[in-house]
Amino acid sequence: MKYILPTMLLAMGATAFVSCDDMLDMGNENVLYVDDNTLKSANDTVNTFVGILSQLQKIGVRTNLFGELRGDLVTVSKIANSNLKEIAEFNVSDDNPYNSPRDYYAVINNCNYFLANADTELTEKRYQNGQAQAYFVLRAEALAVRSIRAWLYLQLGQIYGENIPVVKEPILSFEDAESYLQTAPKMNLQQICQG
């Protein structure tokens, strides 16, 4: 006891001299702006690509519900949720929680940002069979992101059918969103598949 009490008093006395400002200071004054954030290396694109994939997981259940509930061999039971019945009857209301094309466009916008900013001409030297060859670092990811964006538009066309705004540029501000909403070409499923 005679050793514990002085140690505790010493520790409490040491903490009394520490100010709260020092404890709350994160020590980082870096701020990310869109203009400064470029995707110039494989390390830069990893988080962006993983973010796109995680957003896809969030809309996966909804996409599956729209596809399965509208299938020919599926009937919705009488005790099913009214939201699910709306999907099966092709009559989805605006307040249906599964009706959210905004989530699809959030992923599409991240895909557009990746494609606009990833340096697909970036190469590094890799050795194969003892010979140095140029390897394009980001081309595989860019191809995957293009495929994801095409799949998302296919899903939007299957779910909503007509007047799907097709956005191929990243939208980075509210003003850009409003102006692009007026000028974006609107397509149906057949036009999306052809384009």
Side-chain angles (χ1 to χ4, degrees), residues 103-171:
D103 295 340
Y104 289 88
Y105 281 104
V107 184
I108 288 169
N109 197 45
N110 283 344
C111 291
N112 290 338
Y113 183 81
F114 182 95
L115 294 171
N117 293 298
D119 184 6
T120 57
E121 297 301 317
L122 181 69
T123 60
E124 67 180 31
K125 191 184 297 185
R126 292 201 179 171
Y127 290 91
Q128 189 172 10
N129 298 330
Q131 294 183 358
Q133 296 179 346
Y135 174 76
F136 291 97
V137 178
L138 302 178
R139 285 207 177 158
E141 288 84 357
L143 180 61
V145 169
R146 284 180 193 272
S147 300
I148 290 169
R149 184 177 67 179
W151 180 82
L152 288 165
Y153 277 121
L154 177 66
Q155 297 308 310
L156 284 170
Q158 289 176 340
I159 293 169
Y160 298 104
E162 299 288 328
N163 296 322
I164 309 297
V166 177
V167 182
K168 293 187 178 181
E169 307 278 330
I171 297 174

Side-chain angles (χ1 to χ4, degrees), residues 32-67:
L32 268 174
Y33 294 102
V34 175
D35 297 337
D36 299 335
N37 190 13
T38 56
L39 307 174
K40 298 283 184 196
S41 71
N43 292 336
D44 292 339
T45 60
V46 168
N47 290 335
T48 306
F49 189 68
V50 170
I52 290 169
L53 294 178
S54 70
Q55 285 180 314
L56 272 178
Q57 288 179 325
K58 290 178 185 177
I59 62 173
V61 171
R62 180 179 324 136
T63 304
N64 192 28
L65 277 175
F66 272 96

